Amino acid sequence: MAEPLIPSETLTSFHNFITSSNCKTILALLGAGLSSASGLPTFRGSGGYWRHYNSIDLATPDAFERDPGLVWQFYSYRRHMALAAKPNAGHQALAQLSHNDKINFLTITQNVDGLSQRANHNSQKLIELHGSLFCLKCTNFTCSYRDPANFNDPLTESLDASSLVHDKDNLEDLPFLSDDKLPHCPLCETGLLRPGVVWFGESLSWVNVDKTDEFMMRNHVDLMLVIGTSGLVWPAASYIDIVKNQGGKVAVFNIEKDDTDTESWQFIGDCSKTLPMALKPLIDQVNLSSEL
């Protein structure tokens, strides 16, 4: 893929700002566009189908209650794909920035694939707003079991992802899986386990929301990086507005240009290429090992 064409004046202006005394606190908001550069489907928009199922219809509590086997097959596929993917240079650049002790930095990721962690992002400076594919929790109301980092693949013999291809033209129904074929809680032994992600219709973790709010209240955010996301969904849009209203700057990293936004720096192209170029002055001196 060709290198993105970033106007020299845009890059120079951005570099001058991030190396100035006016840029001490940076907030990054990540979306699916960053992970798509690692080969992961976005499951939104035109890519919003897994086999012939609408992925959004599978990501709800009602769908899990109605057919937990189908939902688990979808999420087993996603877990398998995420484990097979590698963090890209964009993840790496942000991870390096998280270890720059001269910058007050926080990343809020809407992604659930764990790629930021695998790039060795500082865990104290990373909030998984929508949870994680690799967190498991019990659905039994009286059970508090939670496994924050389960990377077994497959979780059960019936959830082998090799047959769960991502093909929207495949109209073949998946086999019905009874509850005994699905992951069960090792603590209470009766409850089904579910993915520890935030489904449509569920509230975000107030712990994560509070951490984000506290960061924004305690600090004047000088720069917000909006990466691989449109920033139109709450709470993303509210964070961007807060930063702008406080006089902070915004830089957008996305595939398409927003012609209505004339105030932000816009880096158009593959995020895995534009991010390292844009953040180069802040990450050059940081030594960080990762899977890349």
Side-chain angles (χ1 to χ4, degrees):
M1 183 179 294
E3 291 293 323
L5 295 177
I6 301 175
S8 59
E9 60 271 20
T10 299
L11 200 57
T12 299
S13 171
F14 185 74
H15 284 174
N16 287 341
F17 178 77
I18 64 176
T19 55
S20 73
S21 60
N22 294 322
C23 186
K24 299 177 181 178
T25 298
I26 299 177
L27 176 66
L29 176 70
L30 313 187
L34 178 58
S35 294
S36 66
S38 291
L40 294 184
T42 61
F43 292 114
R44 299 297 293 268
S46 61
Y49 281 84
W50 171 69
R51 297 173 70 95
H52 66 284
Y53 301 96
N54 187 322
S55 59
I56 294 178
D57 291 341
L58 298 178
T60 69
D62 288 344
F64 190 81
E65 182 176 354
R66 183 170 58 250
D67 192 344
L70 175 60
V71 173
W72 256 124
Q73 288 177 87
F74 173 54
Y75 279 94
S76 294
Y77 171 78
R78 293 190 65 183
R79 284 168 57 94
H80 180 77
M81 290 292 292
L83 287 171
K86 292 183 179 295
N88 61 56
H91 294 107
Q92 171 76 353
L94 292 168
Q96 288 180 294
L97 183 57
S98 75
H99 291 272
N100 185 333
D101 56 12
K102 296 179 181 179
I103 296 292
N104 187 22
F105 181 61
L106 178 68
T107 292
I108 307 166
T109 180
Q110 300 172 98
N111 300 329
V112 296
D113 48 48
L115 290 178
S116 291
Q117 293 89 330
R118 288 169 54 198
N120 202 14
H121 195 293
N122 186 334
S123 62
Q124 300 302 310
K125 299 181 180 181
L126 178 67
I127 293 177
E128 293 179 293
L129 198 62
H130 292 167
S132 169
L133 290 171
F134 305 104
C135 173
L136 303 177
K137 55 186 183 180
C138 184
T139 56
N140 188 336
F141 183 73
T142 62
C143 182
S144 61
Y145 177 80
R146 183 177 181 274
D147 183 352
N150 184 306
F151 299 98
N152 294 336
D153 182 35
L155 287 169
T156 69
E157 183 178 350
S158 298
L159 292 176
D160 187 338
S162 61
S163 62
L164 304 177
V165 296
H166 173 48
D167 181 1
K168 68 179 181 179
D169 296 321
N170 189 337
L171 301 181
E172 179 183 351
D173 286 332
L174 289 165
F176 174 79
L177 297 183
S178 56
D179 287 0
D180 62 306
K181 303 290 186 182
L182 304 177
H184 278 73
C185 177
L187 182 60
C188 70
E189 298 183 346
T190 58
L192 283 177
L193 293 177
R194 57 158 283 183
V197 298
V198 180
W199 280 331
F200 292 99
E202 293 182 326
S203 299
L204 298 174
S205 162
W206 286 109
V207 172
N208 288 335
V209 172
D210 286 346
K211 285 181 180 178
T212 304
D213 290 346
E214 182 179 1
F215 180 85
M216 300 188 75
M217 286 181 2
R218 285 191 174 186
N219 305 281
H220 177 278
V221 178
D222 302 304
L223 173 65
M224 184 167 185
L225 309 175
V226 181
I227 304 163
T229 177
S230 64
L232 297 178
V233 180
W234 188 92
S238 65
Y239 297 152
I240 297 170
D241 288 340
I242 290 172
V243 170
K244 287 183 175 180
N245 290 338
Q246 291 180 342
K249 305 290 187 179
V250 175
V252 177
F253 297 79
N254 223 327
I255 296 297
E256 297 179 354
K257 184 177 181 180
D258 182 357
D259 292 326
T260 65
D261 186 352
T262 59
E263 299 179 353
S264 304
W265 286 286
Q266 294 197 48
F267 296 90
I268 308 306
D270 184 337
C271 298
S272 69
K273 296 182 180 297
T274 56
L275 265 174
M277 295 171 66
L279 297 178
K280 193 174 187 297
L282 298 181
I283 63 179
D284 265 356
Q285 305 304 317
V286 180
N287 294 318
L288 182 67
S289 61
S290 77
E291 296 185 17
L292 291 180

